[in-house]
Amino acid sequence: MELSIHKIGLTRNSAFSFVCNRCLSCCHLKKIQLNPYEIARMARNRGVSTTEFIGRYTDNAGTMLKFNDEDACIFLESEGCSVHPDRPLVCRLYPLARYVEFTGQESFSQVELEDDCQGELHENGTIEQYLETQGALPFMHAADRYLELLCLLMDIIKKREVESSITEAVIDTVRAVSTGEITRDDLSIVDMDRMVQYYCAEEGVTVPESIDEKMLLHIRAVKKWAA
């Protein structure tokens, strides 16, 4: 389902507030793209590894959250979102969308509320305050780190003709990850737990408990794998 844009060019200082009345209409007919940090947060919430989470709860080998036959999020229950404390960034932002240029410049847009949405829009706050109340800031930080990683991997693709150490297999996998067209054989690049375990075993270090620390090691592991 495509959402119409209502306002563009917003910043963190723009006037905005939104009160969710739990009508759950926004939990249907969506495509929720995921990054490894979001997968790790929800996997911990479910008490499973990222490997198991990807296989059970995602499509396209970890790039998209599954929806059921009724076009509802797989985590939607009668009382609401069953992974709410660890829900993805896009769910935290609604009805906002965030854009980050390769230069790091950030902007926001406000989408039109869906016809069935019972939420209330106001201007008695700012986008910055809304982000804080939604717990979005650590998710935004993670999204930015993975955007930087994606830019690096895409740069590797561009340089493949002059960097003989980059094999076609690596190039194909990086391209597949960037487009979401990856197979089960390529899972390791988005599977934080498995990649961090391999990396820590090679480096002779202990796997950290913190997801934030795991994320940093995951990014380091992907860089090492690509190079």
Side-chain angles (χ1 to χ4, degrees):
M1 178 178 179
E2 296 291 334
L3 297 177
S4 300
I5 302 298
H6 178 59
K7 295 180 181 179
I8 62 173
L10 304 177
T11 71
R12 296 195 187 197
N13 293 323
S14 298
F16 175 83
S17 66
F18 177 71
V19 178
C20 173
N21 289 314
R22 296 176 61 80
C23 65
L24 309 180
S25 63
C26 62
C27 303
H28 296 77
L29 298 170
K30 299 294 189 303
K31 291 183 179 179
I32 307 298
Q33 192 166 354
L34 303 173
N35 65 43
Y37 177 81
E38 293 167 320
I39 290 172
R41 287 284 300 256
M42 289 187 287
R44 183 182 64 180
N45 184 291
R46 297 289 88 184
V48 300
S49 68
T50 58
T51 308
E52 185 176 350
F53 184 93
I54 290 169
R56 184 184 300 180
Y57 300 114
T58 73
D59 288 323
N60 294 333
T63 62
M64 304 292 292
L65 191 62
K66 269 188 179 179
F67 275 53
N68 62 27
D69 293 338
E70 298 177 349
D71 291 322
C73 174
I74 195 170
F75 293 121
L76 180 61
E77 298 180 354
S78 59
E79 298 300 316
C81 177
S82 61
V83 294
H84 193 265
D86 298 291
R87 66 198 185 281
L89 176 60
V90 66
C91 305
R92 296 169 186 271
L93 291 178
Y94 182 84
L96 296 174
R98 179 177 182 250
Y99 310 92
V100 179
E101 303 292 339
F102 290 152
T103 60
Q105 183 176 354
E106 174 192 69
S107 64
F108 297 85
S109 67
Q110 180 185 323
V111 301
E112 294 279 3
L113 297 182
E114 293 152 290
D115 293 339
D116 296 333
C117 180
Q118 298 176 23
E120 302 172 24
L121 285 168
H122 303 282
E123 293 190 349
N124 56 359
T126 65
I127 287 180
E128 176 76 30
Q129 292 171 331
Y130 183 70
L131 297 175
E132 291 178 354
T133 61
Q134 295 301 307
L137 298 181
F139 286 80
M140 290 162 55
H141 174 75
D144 293 347
R145 300 292 76 75
Y146 280 108
L147 176 61
E148 292 171 0
L149 178 63
L150 178 59
C151 292
L152 173 65
L153 297 180
M154 296 304 293
D155 189 53
I156 288 174
I157 291 177
K158 293 177 183 178
K159 295 178 179 179
R160 69 185 185 272
E161 293 182 357
V162 294
E163 294 185 6
S164 58
S165 63
I166 303 300
T167 67
E168 283 301 320
V170 171
I171 293 166
D172 290 343
T173 301
V174 170
R175 183 183 292 112
V177 170
S178 68
T179 60
E181 299 172 352
I182 54 183
T183 68
R184 291 293 170 184
D185 293 335
D186 300 320
L187 256 178
S188 60
I189 199 169
V190 293
D191 187 343
M192 184 186 292
D193 285 345
R194 194 165 77 179
M195 251 192 134
V196 168
Q197 287 170 359
Y198 287 163
Y199 178 82
C200 289
E202 289 180 351
E203 298 294 320
V205 297
T206 303
V207 176
E209 294 291 333
S210 163
I211 291 179
D212 291 304
E213 292 179 8
K214 278 187 180 180
M215 178 183 71
L216 296 178
L217 285 185
H218 178 239
I219 292 172
R220 193 180 303 170
V222 173
K223 289 180 179 178
K224 179 181 178 180
W225 169 83

